[in-house]
Amino acid sequence: MKIHNSPKILTRFEEYREVVKAKAARYGRRRDESGADLHIRHWDERCIADGNEHLRFHCATFLCDLGQNGNSSICSHQYCSVCGIIRVGFSTKMDGISTFSTSYKGHVALPEDIEEEFRFMHVKRAMLVCRVIAGRVGCDPEIGDKDDPGYDSLVGREPCATQTRLDDEDELIVFNPRAVLPCFVMAYTV
């Protein structure tokens, strides 16, 4: 199902992209001692152009009848993660939002037994396809974290090389919830 985001959520996403682009333009145009332009890295170029935007997957749970029999209404149940994300965006209380390059990787990131453990609540899975402003991507969990103003996101699980393409990485942890805009939701069963 296509998500029709509220103007408020869409505006927050667009404003965040402009902040990332402006920051990249400021830092990307550095000069050496002689005044010559220094080489701009690929990710910095992408940040200046579009905030280093990617389509990524995020797996979440839901409790309502979203997607069943043509139902496209979001609920207000406090434990229905998908509807909460669609309604108000990702929580600011999270340490980071995990996004993945494939739906399979997003699926396996959520514990296998989630449906069994919360069967009494009738929990189901959904895959969100999201536009993600990755910004400057950190590769070292010891350096590029949420409190480091030099990075907007972090490659998760395995360290990467600076030449690595983001699309080839398993997990991208995005620090700012305004950087993730859900566009489609796919309800599914395992």
Side-chain angles (χ1 to χ4, degrees):
M1 294 170 281
K2 183 175 179 10
I3 297 171
H4 297 282
N5 289 291
S6 72
K8 180 180 179 181
I9 290 174
L10 188 56
T11 299
R12 286 190 324 213
F13 177 79
E14 296 294 339
E15 286 173 350
Y16 181 75
R17 179 201 346 254
E18 293 308 313
V19 167
V20 169
K21 287 169 53 177
K23 185 171 68 170
R26 250 191 337 268
Y27 295 120
R29 292 190 176 97
R30 296 188 182 184
R31 298 177 186 270
D32 65 12
E33 300 83 36
S34 69
D37 286 333
L38 293 173
H39 175 70
I40 298 176
R41 292 177 300 209
H42 168 71
W43 288 1
D44 290 330
E45 290 172 351
R46 286 286 314 270
C47 288
I48 293 168
D50 67 0
N52 196 9
E53 184 174 332
H54 297 268
L55 277 179
R56 308 281 294 180
F57 295 89
H58 176 81
C59 191
T61 58
F62 69 108
L63 304 173
C64 64
D65 294 329
L66 184 66
Q68 295 177 353
N69 300 321
N71 179 17
S72 61
S73 300
I74 58 173
C75 74
S76 58
H77 192 284
Q78 74 180 52
Y79 297 112
C80 191
S81 296
V82 170
C83 289
I85 291 168
I86 294 170
R87 190 175 51 259
V88 296
F90 284 88
S91 172
T92 57
K93 296 177 184 176
M94 298 173 73
D95 285 335
I97 301 159
S98 291
T99 65
F100 297 88
S101 56
T102 68
S103 59
Y104 175 75
K105 290 175 183 177
H107 168 76
V108 296
L110 205 61
E112 281 184 31
D113 58 353
I114 194 87
E115 290 91 355
E116 187 63 37
E117 187 174 337
F118 294 101
R119 177 169 286 189
F120 70 97
M121 294 176 72
H122 307 288
V123 71
K124 298 167 277 235
R125 288 180 189 241
M127 189 64 62
L128 296 169
V129 180
C130 304
R131 291 171 59 192
V132 177
I133 303 297
R136 287 206 60 231
V137 180
C139 296
D140 184 352
E142 300 299 318
I143 297 172
D145 67 11
K146 162 179 179 167
D147 300 321
D148 185 334
Y151 296 104
D152 302 299
S153 58
L154 174 68
V155 172
R157 296 194 185 141
E158 296 178 18
C160 66
T162 56
Q163 295 84 7
T164 303
R165 288 178 33 124
L166 178 59
D167 295 336
D168 296 337
E169 300 300 332
D170 287 352
E171 180 179 27
L172 177 71
I173 301 166
V174 182
F175 302 136
N176 193 318
R178 298 182 313 153
V180 184
L181 182 71
C183 297
F184 298 95
V185 61
M186 296 175 281
Y188 67 99
T189 57
V190 181

